[in-house]
Amino acid sequence: MLVVDIGLVNLRFDGHRLVRRDPGAPTLILVGLPPQHVLEEVPPPVATVATALGPMQAVTAGSTQLAFSVPADIDGLELSLTSLLNWARLVPMTVPAGLRSPDTAGSTVFQGIPRSVIEFPARLLITYDEPVDWVGRQEPQQVDGRTALWHTRLHGARDGEVLLRAFATVADRSGLTANNPLTVEKLEDIVTLTSRAELSGPGGGLPIQVPSAPLQAEQFIITPMGASGHLRGAWEPLSSTAQGQFQELGKRAPNLAAYDHITGLGRDQYIRVVSRGRLSTGHEALLVSELRRLFVARPNDGIVAYLQREDRVVVKQPDFQYGPESGFTHEGREMPFRTLRITDRVTPPLHQPVPDNDAFWVVQSSGDDHEFTVIGTDHENRKISFTMPLVFVPDSLTQAVQEARLQQLYAGDLHTPTPNATDQKLMSRMNRSMGGQVMAMAQPPAGAPGSTSHAVGKLTFGLGVTGPAGRPVVGLPHVSAAEVRVPAVEQFTPNAGYLAATFNDTFLRQSMEKHPAGAYLSLDQAVGLTFGAEKAGGVASPNASVKLITSQAGVIPDVFKTGTAGDVVDALPLTDIKAAFGGAKLLGFIDLGRYLQSIAKDSLGALRQLGDDQIEAILRAPNGLLPAPVLRIRDLADGQGKELRYVWKTALGERDVLQGDDSKDVLDVSHAVLTLDARTVRSKDAVDKASVEGRLTDFALNFGGMAKVEIADLKFRTGPGKKPDVTATGLELKFSNELEFINSLRSALPADGFGGGAYVEVQPSGIRAGYELALPAIGVGVFTLSNVALGAELVIPFDGKPVSFRFSVSERSHPFNVSVSLFGGGGYFSMLVDATGVQQIEGAIEFGGSAALNLGVASGGVSVMAGIRFEFDGAADRVSLSGYLRCNGFLCVLGIITVSVEFYLELTYEKHGRESVVRGRGTLTVSVRIAFFSKSVSLELERSFSGAPADPTFADCVLPRHWHEYCLAFAP
């Protein structure tokens, strides 16, 4: 029941007792004991009934030596076991504080004197930190026929408190068993935190101030089978200065916070190791690793006691703040949360094995990530709740090791179109759902609360500093991408939903104030707005691709050119600006992008602050311009709804001529200004009230070089419950070339073509505006002009068809009439032109005379009429020119015999495409009536002559086989 080696120093047996050899030399009794601790293998988690586990490996600690000094007042000792085990009168020898290595490696001699060295737990060497004594029986203890195992208990000199100090670890023996929380690093931490040894600072400077506190032993009993004890220790964290010194030395800093160890006869019953660290968000946390002995019933060998490990992460610092001084690359602008609060206090058991001295994703025992519940506080003090997995990073890692490990943990591509398993796992960890909660994505400008807030569907988080030298850093979480709702865009694209966006580069690298429009988000894909012309007054369908989300200007196209430092140095080239307006139409069919002009850098500042007053001032100012369309939404002043507004005022210019484009330009906007202002007010009762104002000034429409319509100001205005109002002022019609003679009729046209007396029809399909003017009959002597009507009509369709203009002098169904004495005639003329050219022209003029004769016995009359009719149909590519002569006469004798003759001759030229035809037709009709008998005879003759559609082709002239024979004659 007792295994002990006893060594005597400076003692000899004189035949009766043990006496000193040299009275002046130290006199010691050295007690060697068997190993006091057994380190067992820790298996994976086992079920209540375990059948697959075999024998567990184990390693033992080294032997323990207790050194006692014999006081000078003891002149001799009995040579007996009882006397040598009576340690109460002896003085236990301890290793001097600050010493970590013996005089000779592997010995227990320090400064020439053997000391008490206990290896507990395995591979950790401890000694007394303050005076102690050992309490135990010298004689065997027998009770009820049983003999107790020999044991002795360590007792503190002050009220029984025992303080122990670890001074070294054993490095020359086999390693520790796997999955044990007492790793080599943790044993070294215990040495660093209890040995009271000074550690030299960088460059041999001042020593590192390490918080030191001894181990406390509530119970420590040694026996031949091992120690039964309860050791515990707790330590304050390192100061930031000390942490920096360890980092500078490249040494691992101790991160042990607490240690509890309970053993029974050298076998572990409970171990608790608490390590300091931080979550990747910067929150201080503790990794609590506990080892318990678990009794498991096995079918074959009864109750078996296995060691089982359980780890949890305990959040020590619930709140963590972020700001410009946190170390972010862009002064914290990439982090929309000022504070993150983690509501979890402790996690469920973690997945085994847990890398104690390495960074790791916090994963539950089920294998799933533990998603911490996080409440973020944005720049406007809103609370946003979400969940996200986090990484635990021990404080002991050096900066280089920490970065390398985090690089591995965050390895993957969040934006690859074909993610592999690693990418998918990282995406699920970094893409976090916000569930549509409203939050401020950036600090709003002063006086504009809510201007940077959005309903957010998802945030993509990153870690560390960004940029070319980006690296992961604990405590620097940031948002690398987001999916947000943009109400202003949704009004025009109802299916837009959440839009992918990132922080604007100028906002990140410079600030919101440095961006001319105050942009803070950039959409990943520009959103094309389909804005129907009927909503913009028929003046334009301003389709534009908006990409930048600004704080006060709303959503605008990206027209900004940035420099290498992210600052806005100019507007984008004109080609890029025009690309943002692909599909935008002017007057229903004209490509608006081809008339846009370059944007001056100085004008970009007009987009910075656009309140209602600023917008109105720009719209009223003759030279005021908004360089890009602005799409904005705001709360009404009375709080009863919201107003959506699309406003744009831009100068137009000459059309750019594309290569190979030789088409004529129907529109002249070289001095024009386009203004669009569309508002939709949505009240709380979900009733929309839309009002639209459109305006195009100082432009002209040139139709095929034949007619030109100049309009000084074309306006469109509509509102809830009101009839659309379209007005055009300063309208002037001019004819040129072959139709220049019609300009003489301009004096009859009203000065304000679309003013009073005109007609305007606004329908979903387009606008029809025009006039009809009937002239009164004019009689001067024998000259009479009657049935003259002048008409003009401008059609602006909304369905993409070209703008058309029609001018007419009377109509085919109502020609004008002219008579001069015995001669008379009439005619009509109309012309329809659009942007592609002349579509239809038709006209006719007829002239002739008539005379009557009455001799009493006989009476009669004769008339001769001749006319010319011209018709051009552009759609059918058909031209027709006709000339005719009509003669008729009659003679009546005594009312009994009547003879009438009619002669009609017509010659027509027609052209269909490339084929032309000339037709001639003549008719002679003679009618005779005698009394009650009448007879009519008609003679008709028609001839046509067709011209060749074109010259014959080579294939028409040469047959294929003839050509083949011809070729063979030269190349047989």
Side-chain angles (χ1 to χ4, degrees), residues 78-126:
E78 296 293 331
L79 185 57
S80 65
L81 185 60
T82 301
S83 176
L84 294 176
L85 293 179
N86 185 13
W87 300 340
R89 54 182 178 165
L90 304 179
V91 179
M93 301 295 292
T94 184
V95 176
L99 297 182
R100 301 187 60 172
S101 301
D103 297 347
T104 302
S107 70
T108 62
V109 178
F110 293 80
Q111 296 178 340
I113 300 176
R115 308 287 180 169
S116 296
V117 176
I118 305 171
E119 185 173 337
F120 181 89
R123 310 300 185 262
L124 182 68
L125 302 180
I126 62 176

Short mmCIF file of all heavy atoms in Angstrom, two decimals, residues 78-126:
data_model
loop_
_atom_site.label_atom_id
_atom_site.label_comp_id
_atom_site.label_asym_id
_atom_site.label_seq_id
_atom_site.Cartn_x
_atom_site.Cartn_y
_atom_site.Cartn_z
N GLU A 78 15.37 8.78 13.58
CA GLU A 78 15.33 7.33 13.70
C GLU A 78 15.34 6.72 12.31
O GLU A 78 14.72 7.24 11.38
CB GLU A 78 14.07 6.89 14.44
CG GLU A 78 13.99 7.36 15.89
CD GLU A 78 15.06 6.69 16.76
OE1 GLU A 78 15.44 5.55 16.42
OE2 GLU A 78 15.52 7.35 17.69
N LEU A 79 16.06 5.63 12.16
CA LEU A 79 16.09 4.94 10.90
C LEU A 79 14.91 3.98 10.85
O LEU A 79 15.04 2.77 11.07
CB LEU A 79 17.41 4.18 10.71
CG LEU A 79 17.60 3.49 9.34
CD1 LEU A 79 17.46 4.48 8.21
CD2 LEU A 79 18.95 2.78 9.27
N SER A 80 13.75 4.59 10.63
CA SER A 80 12.52 3.80 10.57
C SER A 80 11.57 4.48 9.57
O SER A 80 11.67 5.67 9.33
CB SER A 80 11.86 3.68 11.93
OG SER A 80 11.41 4.96 12.38
N LEU A 81 10.63 3.69 9.03
CA LEU A 81 9.66 4.25 8.07
C LEU A 81 8.80 5.29 8.75
O LEU A 81 8.47 6.32 8.17
CB LEU A 81 8.80 3.12 7.48
CG LEU A 81 7.84 3.54 6.38
CD1 LEU A 81 8.58 4.15 5.20
CD2 LEU A 81 6.99 2.36 5.92
N THR A 82 8.42 5.04 9.99
CA THR A 82 7.57 5.99 10.69
C THR A 82 8.27 7.33 10.84
O THR A 82 7.68 8.39 10.64
CB THR A 82 7.18 5.44 12.06
OG1 THR A 82 6.50 4.20 11.90
CG2 THR A 82 6.30 6.42 12.81
N SER A 83 9.56 7.29 11.16
CA SER A 83 10.30 8.53 11.35
C SER A 83 10.50 9.26 10.03
O SER A 83 10.37 10.48 9.97
CB SER A 83 11.65 8.23 11.99
OG SER A 83 12.43 9.40 12.11
N LEU A 84 10.77 8.51 8.96
CA LEU A 84 11.05 9.15 7.69
C LEU A 84 9.78 9.69 7.03
O LEU A 84 9.84 10.54 6.14
CB LEU A 84 11.75 8.18 6.75
CG LEU A 84 13.17 7.77 7.21
CD1 LEU A 84 13.73 6.73 6.26
CD2 LEU A 84 14.08 8.98 7.28
N LEU A 85 8.61 9.17 7.42
CA LEU A 85 7.34 9.68 6.88
C LEU A 85 6.73 10.77 7.76
O LEU A 85 5.65 11.28 7.43
CB LEU A 85 6.33 8.54 6.71
CG LEU A 85 6.68 7.49 5.66
CD1 LEU A 85 5.60 6.41 5.62
CD2 LEU A 85 6.82 8.12 4.28
N ASN A 86 7.40 11.11 8.83
CA ASN A 86 6.91 12.18 9.70
C ASN A 86 7.40 13.52 9.15
O ASN A 86 8.41 14.05 9.58
CB ASN A 86 7.41 11.96 11.13
CG ASN A 86 6.81 12.98 12.08
OD1 ASN A 86 5.86 13.70 11.75
ND2 ASN A 86 7.39 13.05 13.28
N TRP A 87 6.60 14.05 8.11
CA TRP A 87 7.05 15.26 7.41
C TRP A 87 6.59 16.53 8.10
O TRP A 87 6.97 17.62 7.70
CB TRP A 87 6.50 15.25 5.98
CG TRP A 87 6.98 14.05 5.19
CD1 TRP A 87 8.06 13.27 5.45
CD2 TRP A 87 6.37 13.55 4.01
NE1 TRP A 87 8.18 12.28 4.52
CE2 TRP A 87 7.14 12.44 3.59
CE3 TRP A 87 5.25 13.89 3.25
CZ2 TRP A 87 6.83 11.67 2.47
CZ3 TRP A 87 4.96 13.15 2.11
CH2 TRP A 87 5.73 12.04 1.71
N ALA A 88 5.80 16.40 9.14
CA ALA A 88 5.28 17.59 9.81
C ALA A 88 6.40 18.41 10.42
O ALA A 88 6.31 19.64 10.53
CB ALA A 88 4.26 17.21 10.87
N ARG A 89 7.51 17.74 10.86
CA ARG A 89 8.61 18.47 11.50
C ARG A 89 9.67 18.90 10.48
O ARG A 89 10.64 19.55 10.86
CB ARG A 89 9.25 17.59 12.57
CG ARG A 89 9.69 16.24 12.04
CD ARG A 89 10.27 15.39 13.13
NE ARG A 89 10.67 14.07 12.62
CZ ARG A 89 11.46 13.24 13.28
NH1 ARG A 89 11.93 13.59 14.48
NH2 ARG A 89 11.75 12.06 12.78
N LEU A 90 9.48 18.54 9.19
CA LEU A 90 10.44 18.89 8.17
C LEU A 90 9.95 20.11 7.37
O LEU A 90 8.77 20.47 7.42
CB LEU A 90 10.66 17.71 7.22
CG LEU A 90 11.10 16.40 7.88
CD1 LEU A 90 11.27 15.31 6.84
CD2 LEU A 90 12.40 16.60 8.68
N VAL A 91 10.86 20.72 6.65
CA VAL A 91 10.54 21.92 5.87
C VAL A 91 10.51 21.55 4.39
O VAL A 91 11.55 21.16 3.84
CB VAL A 91 11.58 23.03 6.09
CG1 VAL A 91 11.24 24.25 5.25
CG2 VAL A 91 11.67 23.38 7.57
N PRO A 92 9.30 21.64 3.72
CA PRO A 92 9.23 21.34 2.29
C PRO A 92 10.04 22.36 1.49
O PRO A 92 9.96 23.56 1.72
CB PRO A 92 7.74 21.45 1.96
CG PRO A 92 7.05 21.27 3.29
CD PRO A 92 7.97 21.89 4.30
N MET A 93 10.79 21.87 0.52
CA MET A 93 11.64 22.72 -0.30
C MET A 93 10.90 23.04 -1.62
O MET A 93 10.35 22.15 -2.27
CB MET A 93 12.96 22.02 -0.60
CG MET A 93 13.74 21.64 0.65
SD MET A 93 14.29 23.11 1.56
CE MET A 93 15.47 23.76 0.41
N THR A 94 10.91 24.28 -2.01
CA THR A 94 10.23 24.71 -3.24
C THR A 94 11.24 25.24 -4.24
O THR A 94 12.36 25.63 -3.86
CB THR A 94 9.19 25.80 -2.94
OG1 THR A 94 8.48 26.13 -4.13
CG2 THR A 94 9.85 27.07 -2.42
N VAL A 95 10.84 25.27 -5.51
CA VAL A 95 11.69 25.83 -6.55
C VAL A 95 11.61 27.35 -6.45
O VAL A 95 10.51 27.91 -6.37
CB VAL A 95 11.23 25.36 -7.94
CG1 VAL A 95 12.05 26.02 -9.04
CG2 VAL A 95 11.32 23.84 -8.05
N PRO A 96 12.73 28.03 -6.43
CA PRO A 96 12.69 29.49 -6.31
C PRO A 96 11.89 30.12 -7.46
O PRO A 96 11.92 29.65 -8.59
CB PRO A 96 14.16 29.89 -6.37
CG PRO A 96 14.90 28.67 -5.93
CD PRO A 96 14.10 27.50 -6.42
N ALA A 97 11.17 31.17 -7.11
CA ALA A 97 10.34 31.86 -8.12
C ALA A 97 11.22 32.44 -9.21
O ALA A 97 12.31 32.97 -8.94
CB ALA A 97 9.53 32.97 -7.45
N GLY A 98 10.75 32.32 -10.41
CA GLY A 98 11.46 32.86 -11.56
C GLY A 98 12.34 31.86 -12.26
O GLY A 98 12.75 32.10 -13.41
N LEU A 99 12.69 30.73 -11.58
CA LEU A 99 13.54 29.73 -12.21
C LEU A 99 12.66 28.74 -12.97
O LEU A 99 11.63 28.29 -12.47
CB LEU A 99 14.38 29.00 -11.16
CG LEU A 99 15.39 29.86 -10.39
CD1 LEU A 99 16.18 29.02 -9.41
CD2 LEU A 99 16.33 30.57 -11.35
N ARG A 100 13.09 28.37 -14.17
CA ARG A 100 12.29 27.45 -14.97
C ARG A 100 13.07 26.22 -15.38
O ARG A 100 12.48 25.21 -15.75
CB ARG A 100 11.79 28.17 -16.23
CG ARG A 100 10.94 29.38 -15.92
CD ARG A 100 10.33 29.98 -17.16
NE ARG A 100 9.46 29.01 -17.84
CZ ARG A 100 8.68 29.34 -18.88
NH1 ARG A 100 8.68 30.58 -19.34
NH2 ARG A 100 7.92 28.44 -19.46
N SER A 101 14.39 26.28 -15.27
CA SER A 101 15.21 25.14 -15.69
C SER A 101 16.12 24.72 -14.53
O SER A 101 16.70 25.57 -13.83
CB SER A 101 16.08 25.49 -16.90
OG SER A 101 15.25 25.89 -17.98
N PRO A 102 16.26 23.40 -14.31
CA PRO A 102 17.16 22.92 -13.24
C PRO A 102 18.62 23.12 -13.63
O PRO A 102 18.94 23.45 -14.78
CB PRO A 102 16.80 21.44 -13.11
CG PRO A 102 16.28 21.06 -14.46
CD PRO A 102 15.60 22.29 -14.99
N ASP A 103 19.49 22.90 -12.65
CA ASP A 103 20.92 23.05 -12.93
C ASP A 103 21.37 22.05 -13.99
O ASP A 103 22.21 22.36 -14.83
CB ASP A 103 21.74 22.83 -11.65
CG ASP A 103 21.41 23.90 -10.60
OD1 ASP A 103 20.76 24.91 -10.97
OD2 ASP A 103 21.80 23.72 -9.43
N THR A 104 20.82 20.86 -13.93
CA THR A 104 21.11 19.82 -14.92
C THR A 104 19.79 19.35 -15.48
O THR A 104 18.85 19.04 -14.72
CB THR A 104 21.86 18.64 -14.27
OG1 THR A 104 23.06 19.12 -13.66
CG2 THR A 104 22.19 17.59 -15.32
N ALA A 105 19.73 19.29 -16.79
CA ALA A 105 18.47 18.89 -17.43
C ALA A 105 18.03 17.53 -16.93
O ALA A 105 18.83 16.59 -16.81
CB ALA A 105 18.65 18.86 -18.95
N GLY A 106 16.73 17.42 -16.61
CA GLY A 106 16.16 16.17 -16.13
C GLY A 106 16.26 15.98 -14.64
O GLY A 106 15.66 15.03 -14.10
N SER A 107 16.99 16.87 -13.93
CA SER A 107 17.11 16.73 -12.47
C SER A 107 16.13 17.67 -11.79
O SER A 107 15.39 18.41 -12.43
CB SER A 107 18.54 17.06 -12.04
OG SER A 107 18.79 18.47 -12.19
N THR A 108 16.11 17.61 -10.47
CA THR A 108 15.28 18.51 -9.68
C THR A 108 16.14 19.43 -8.83
O THR A 108 15.68 19.96 -7.82
CB THR A 108 14.33 17.71 -8.78
OG1 THR A 108 15.10 16.91 -7.87
CG2 THR A 108 13.41 16.83 -9.61
N VAL A 109 17.39 19.62 -9.24
CA VAL A 109 18.33 20.43 -8.47
C VAL A 109 18.34 21.84 -9.05
O VAL A 109 18.60 22.04 -10.24
CB VAL A 109 19.74 19.81 -8.53
CG1 VAL A 109 20.73 20.70 -7.75
CG2 VAL A 109 19.73 18.41 -7.95
N PHE A 110 18.03 22.79 -8.22
CA PHE A 110 18.03 24.19 -8.58
C PHE A 110 18.95 24.92 -7.61
O PHE A 110 18.80 24.78 -6.38
CB PHE A 110 16.64 24.79 -8.50
CG PHE A 110 15.67 24.26 -9.53
CD1 PHE A 110 15.04 23.04 -9.34
CD2 PHE A 110 15.42 24.97 -10.70
CE1 PHE A 110 14.15 22.55 -10.26
CE2 PHE A 110 14.53 24.48 -11.63
CZ PHE A 110 13.89 23.27 -11.43
N GLN A 111 19.91 25.66 -8.16
CA GLN A 111 20.88 26.41 -7.34
C GLN A 111 21.61 25.48 -6.38
O GLN A 111 21.90 25.80 -5.23
CB GLN A 111 20.19 27.53 -6.57
CG GLN A 111 19.57 28.60 -7.48
CD GLN A 111 18.83 29.67 -6.70
OE1 GLN A 111 18.45 29.47 -5.54
NE2 GLN A 111 18.62 30.83 -7.36
N GLY A 112 21.86 24.26 -6.89
CA GLY A 112 22.65 23.29 -6.13
C GLY A 112 21.88 22.53 -5.08
O GLY A 112 22.48 21.71 -4.35
N ILE A 113 20.61 22.75 -4.96
CA ILE A 113 19.82 22.10 -3.90
C ILE A 113 18.64 21.40 -4.54
O ILE A 113 17.91 22.01 -5.35
CB ILE A 113 19.34 23.12 -2.86
CG1 ILE A 113 20.54 23.81 -2.19
CG2 ILE A 113 18.44 22.45 -1.82
CD1 ILE A 113 20.14 24.90 -1.23
N PRO A 114 18.39 20.11 -4.22
CA PRO A 114 17.19 19.43 -4.72
C PRO A 114 15.92 20.12 -4.21
O PRO A 114 15.87 20.60 -3.08
CB PRO A 114 17.33 18.02 -4.16
CG PRO A 114 18.78 17.85 -3.87
CD PRO A 114 19.26 19.21 -3.44
N ARG A 115 14.93 20.17 -5.08
CA ARG A 115 13.68 20.85 -4.75
C ARG A 115 12.49 19.91 -4.96
O ARG A 115 12.61 18.86 -5.60
CB ARG A 115 13.50 22.08 -5.66
CG ARG A 115 14.70 23.01 -5.70
CD ARG A 115 14.86 23.83 -4.44
NE ARG A 115 16.01 24.71 -4.49
CZ ARG A 115 16.25 25.67 -3.62
NH1 ARG A 115 15.40 25.89 -2.62
NH2 ARG A 115 17.32 26.42 -3.73
N SER A 116 11.35 20.34 -4.45
CA SER A 116 10.11 19.56 -4.62
C SER A 116 9.53 19.86 -6.00
O SER A 116 9.22 21.01 -6.31
CB SER A 116 9.09 19.91 -3.54
OG SER A 116 9.59 19.56 -2.27
N VAL A 117 9.38 18.82 -6.79
CA VAL A 117 8.85 18.96 -8.14
C VAL A 117 7.77 17.89 -8.33
O VAL A 117 8.05 16.70 -8.23
CB VAL A 117 9.94 18.80 -9.21
CG1 VAL A 117 9.31 18.86 -10.61
CG2 VAL A 117 11.00 19.89 -9.05
N ILE A 118 6.54 18.35 -8.59
CA ILE A 118 5.42 17.44 -8.79
C ILE A 118 4.97 17.57 -10.25
O ILE A 118 4.70 18.68 -10.71
CB ILE A 118 4.25 17.79 -7.85
CG1 ILE A 118 4.71 17.82 -6.39
CG2 ILE A 118 3.08 16.83 -8.04
CD1 ILE A 118 3.69 18.36 -5.42
N GLU A 119 4.90 16.45 -10.96
CA GLU A 119 4.37 16.48 -12.32
C GLU A 119 2.88 16.20 -12.25
O GLU A 119 2.43 15.06 -12.16
CB GLU A 119 5.07 15.45 -13.21
CG GLU A 119 4.61 15.56 -14.67
CD GLU A 119 5.39 14.67 -15.61
OE1 GLU A 119 6.54 14.29 -15.25
OE2 GLU A 119 4.87 14.35 -16.70
N PHE A 120 2.12 17.29 -12.31
CA PHE A 120 0.66 17.19 -12.26
C PHE A 120 0.07 18.47 -12.87
O PHE A 120 0.41 19.58 -12.45
CB PHE A 120 0.16 17.05 -10.81
CG PHE A 120 -1.33 16.92 -10.74
CD1 PHE A 120 -1.93 15.68 -10.80
CD2 PHE A 120 -2.15 18.04 -10.63
CE1 PHE A 120 -3.31 15.55 -10.74
CE2 PHE A 120 -3.52 17.92 -10.58
CZ PHE A 120 -4.11 16.66 -10.63
N PRO A 121 -0.81 18.30 -13.87
CA PRO A 121 -1.08 17.04 -14.59
C PRO A 121 0.12 16.64 -15.43
O PRO A 121 1.17 17.28 -15.35
CB PRO A 121 -2.27 17.41 -15.46
CG PRO A 121 -2.12 18.87 -15.71
CD PRO A 121 -1.54 19.44 -14.43
N ALA A 122 -0.04 15.57 -16.22
CA ALA A 122 1.07 15.05 -17.00
C ALA A 122 1.67 16.16 -17.85
O ALA A 122 0.96 16.96 -18.47
CB ALA A 122 0.59 13.89 -17.87
N ARG A 123 3.01 16.21 -17.84
CA ARG A 123 3.84 17.13 -18.60
C ARG A 123 3.87 18.54 -18.02
O ARG A 123 4.46 19.42 -18.63
CB ARG A 123 3.39 17.23 -20.08
CG ARG A 123 3.21 15.89 -20.77
CD ARG A 123 4.50 15.09 -20.79
NE ARG A 123 4.36 13.86 -21.55
CZ ARG A 123 4.12 12.67 -21.03
NH1 ARG A 123 3.97 12.54 -19.71
NH2 ARG A 123 4.02 11.60 -21.79
N LEU A 124 3.28 18.74 -16.85
CA LEU A 124 3.34 20.06 -16.20
C LEU A 124 4.04 19.89 -14.87
O LEU A 124 3.65 19.04 -14.04
CB LEU A 124 1.95 20.64 -15.99
CG LEU A 124 1.91 22.04 -15.36
CD1 LEU A 124 2.49 23.08 -16.32
CD2 LEU A 124 0.48 22.42 -14.98
N LEU A 125 5.09 20.67 -14.63
CA LEU A 125 5.86 20.60 -13.40
C LEU A 125 5.44 21.75 -12.49
O LEU A 125 5.50 22.91 -12.88
CB LEU A 125 7.36 20.70 -13.71
CG LEU A 125 7.91 19.63 -14.66
CD1 LEU A 125 9.39 19.83 -14.90
CD2 LEU A 125 7.64 18.22 -14.13
N ILE A 126 4.99 21.39 -11.26
CA ILE A 126 4.53 22.40 -10.32
C ILE A 126 5.31 22.26 -9.02
O ILE A 126 5.93 21.23 -8.72
CB ILE A 126 3.02 22.27 -10.04
CG1 ILE A 126 2.70 20.91 -9.39
CG2 ILE A 126 2.22 22.44 -11.32
CD1 ILE A 126 1.24 20.77 -8.99
#
